[in-house]
Amino acid sequence: MFALVDCNNFYVSCERVFNPKLKGKPVIVLSNNDGCIIARSEEAKLLGLKMAEPVFKKLSFLKKNGVRVFSSNYTLYGDMSQRVTETLSHFFPQVEIYSIDEAFLNLSDMNVDLEELSKNILTTVKQNTGIPVSIGIGPTKTLAKIANKAAKLTGGIFIIKNDRQRDTIIRNTPIEKVWGIGRQYSKLLIRNGVKTAFDFAELDNNWLKTKMKVIGVRIKKELLGEPCIPLELIIPAKKAIATTRAFGKKTSELKYIEEAVSTYAVRCAEKLRKQKTVANLLTIFIHTDPFNRNEPQINKSKTITLPVATNDSTELVKYALVCLNNLFETKYKYKKAGVIVDGLQSETSFQGNIFDKKDRKQQKLLLQTIDKMNAEFGRDKVKLAIQGSGKEWKLKQEKLSKRYTTNWEDIIEVKA
DNA sequence: TCTGGGGTCCTAGGACCC
DNA sequence: TCTGGGGTCCTAGGACCC
């Protein structure tokens, strides 16, 4: 059996842990740049606020209904996520961290009453971290996901115990709610009369294979209780790393875009060094604001193969700027840029270049020192001059809460 | 005025190898 | 009139996830 533990309205719950006044009130958390609604408390959902809704369309509504609004605070959420995972790891040897707010558990060798176990998890996680979670249990990951959805309506726990229960629950699961069925497949399936997970499980394998390839067949098996997706216990190294952002305000100035792109490249280099990999492909993209129909639009990208795979900030910045200058045209107002590194290989064993005469030892030492200083004194305390101040393009984050758990200055004070 | 960011997997098709 | 067979690797594009 698999369990899926899912934190309820995770980002909102994180905010509530440190600000109990938010309990019982409608609360939402916004995406980067304070753009869209990406987390909602139950009260906010009841008000009819939708996921991914642009917040500017709702400003007066939010005010009228006393909705509390927060910018996303990933430093806080990341740390809280780790605390939840730690608690789960005490219970179980086999935990797969599936996302920032979800974990799969393997319950196969657990000789205990699942109901009791689930209750225990619920209360312990709540006690240790302050975060409420729901648990869905089923014979496959796909069914555990479905059970988890049901758990949200039944007090936090739902267990699919036998085939009869499985049949009932998949009959009541709309096809678009199934893990792995997105918008496009939903449309296709509904067109073909497949409305529920149960309908899907009855489909002919050949039809499935032509329409949805191996993925479709796998989902069908999972829905019928045959596990095809194993627990991933080791977090695999990333195969690509991206840093992409919309600017706080639009700009036509190459200088500012250079600052932003350099900063994104440095960020990618830092992420590469952290997982001890080097990249040999670099992609830069820039584009205008796709929502503004009145302005001329442009959306360009350029990918280059680096002469030697690297995680050196200065080198990535150098090539990123070459690409950018290649793409940039003065007449547009740019809204977003991004840097993506690809073709990642291990730092210690990658394909060299016989013409490369550069001494990399010295440079590596320098980068390690910078990483250490920035870890201690704060991001970008030591940075490249080209990165600039960021005040022309940095994110809008007007409703940011404190970093309660990772920053001494933000720690909560108790007055007695 | 204002609409997020960061990933993965699968497949088809072309280039290339012996 | 007639020109092999069996592979791998890479990339772009489309789907998905949170």
Side-chain angles (χ1 to χ4, degrees), chain A residues 261-304:
Chain A
V261 165
S262 303
T263 303
Y264 304 161
V266 167
R267 219 58 81 216
C268 284
E270 287 167 352
K271 293 179 194 168
L272 284 169
R273 294 200 289 275
K274 198 166 179 194
Q275 63 162 31
K276 298 195 189 311
T277 50
V278 290
N280 71 6
L281 287 170
L282 176 70
T283 301
I284 307 300
F285 73 79
I286 46 176
H287 66 71
T288 44
D289 179 3
F291 295 101
N292 191 337
R293 299 272 158 74
N294 306 320
E295 279 171 8
Q297 298 287 322
I298 191 171
N299 182 353
K300 281 174 133 184
S301 80
K302 186 166 173 62
T303 302
I304 55 165

Side-chain angles (χ1 to χ4, degrees), chain A residues 216-334:
Chain A
V217 181
R218 192 159 67 201
I219 294 173
K220 172 176 162 182
K221 284 184 177 172
E222 283 254 323
L223 285 172
L224 291 171
E226 181 188 334
C228 302
I229 310 171
L231 213 62
E232 276 195 34
L233 298 176
I234 301 152
I235 300 168
K238 287 191 174 57
K239 296 171 177 171
I241 287 174
T243 305
T244 72
R245 295 265 180 306
F247 307 138
K249 51 183 171 184
K250 293 182 228 174
T251 180
S252 304
E253 297 276 334
L254 178 58
K255 178 168 177 281
Y256 297 140
I257 304 176
E258 280 183 338
E259 290 182 4
V261 165
S262 303
T263 303
Y264 304 161
V266 167
R267 219 58 81 216
C268 284
E270 287 167 352
K271 293 179 194 168
L272 284 169
R273 294 200 289 275
K274 198 166 179 194
Q275 63 162 31
K276 298 195 189 311
T277 50
V278 290
N280 71 6
L281 287 170
L282 176 70
T283 301
I284 307 300
F285 73 79
I286 46 176
H287 66 71
T288 44
D289 179 3
F291 295 101
N292 191 337
R293 299 272 158 74
N294 306 320
E295 279 171 8
Q297 298 287 322
I298 191 171
N299 182 353
K300 281 174 133 184
S301 80
K302 186 166 173 62
T303 302
I304 55 165
T305 304
L306 301 168
V308 180
T310 183
N311 58 20
D312 182 339
S313 306
T314 60
E315 236 170 311
L316 288 180
V317 167
K318 183 173 83 184
Y319 290 108
L321 291 178
V322 172
C323 290
L324 173 62
N325 279 280
N326 219 299
L327 298 175
F328 181 81
E329 292 174 63
T330 336
K331 56 183 171 183
Y332 299 101
K333 276 174 137 175
Y334 293 94

Side-chain angles (χ1 to χ4, degrees), chain A residues 323-367:
Chain A
C323 290
L324 173 62
N325 279 280
N326 219 299
L327 298 175
F328 181 81
E329 292 174 63
T330 336
K331 56 183 171 183
Y332 299 101
K333 276 174 137 175
Y334 293 94
K335 176 65 185 169
K336 184 170 177 177
V339 175
I340 302 160
V341 289
D342 221 318
L344 307 194
Q345 308 157 49
S346 160
E347 194 177 43
T348 47
S349 62
F350 64 96
Q351 183 63 53
N353 180 332
I354 54 166
F355 301 112
D356 179 39
K357 292 282 188 285
K358 200 166 171 179
D359 174 19
R360 290 175 188 280
K361 280 201 187 126
Q362 207 55 29
Q363 187 68 9
K364 196 172 170 186
L365 209 58
L366 174 65
L367 291 165

Side-chain angles (χ1 to χ4, degrees), chain A residues 9 12-13 15-16 19-29 39-47 49 62 65-70:
Chain A
N9 318 327
V12 167
S13 296
E15 299 293 347
R16 278 179 170 166
N19 190 348
K21 281 183 195 157
L22 300 173
K23 271 182 198 148
K25 305 227 169 73
V27 182
I28 58 172
V29 176
R40 303 159 295 158
S41 70
E42 293 307 322
E43 299 79 6
K45 287 176 191 170
L46 284 175
L47 283 174
L49 290 167
L62 295 173
N65 289 282
V67 179
R68 306 290 307 270
V69 181
F70 290 88

Side-chain angles (χ1 to χ4, degrees), chain A residues 1-3 108 136-145 147 159-163 166 221-229:
Chain A
M1 294 291 262
F2 292 89
S108 304
I137 295 177
T140 65
K141 279 181 160 184
T142 304
L143 289 167
K145 271 267 189 191
I159 303 170
I160 299 175
K161 295 190 185 111
N162 51 46
D163 290 3
R166 187 198 69 214
K221 284 184 177 172
E222 283 254 323
L223 285 172
L224 291 171
E226 181 188 334
C228 302
I229 310 171

Side-chain angles (χ1 to χ4, degrees), chain A residues 17 80 83-84 86-88 90-91 121-131:
Chain A
V17 171
M80 293 305 285
R83 293 173 182 219
V84 172
E86 242 167 65
T87 300
L88 293 175
H90 280 295
F91 283 89
I121 299 173
L122 236 63
T123 47
T124 312
V125 173
K126 179 82 201 226
Q127 189 176 351
N128 289 6
T129 66
I131 301 289

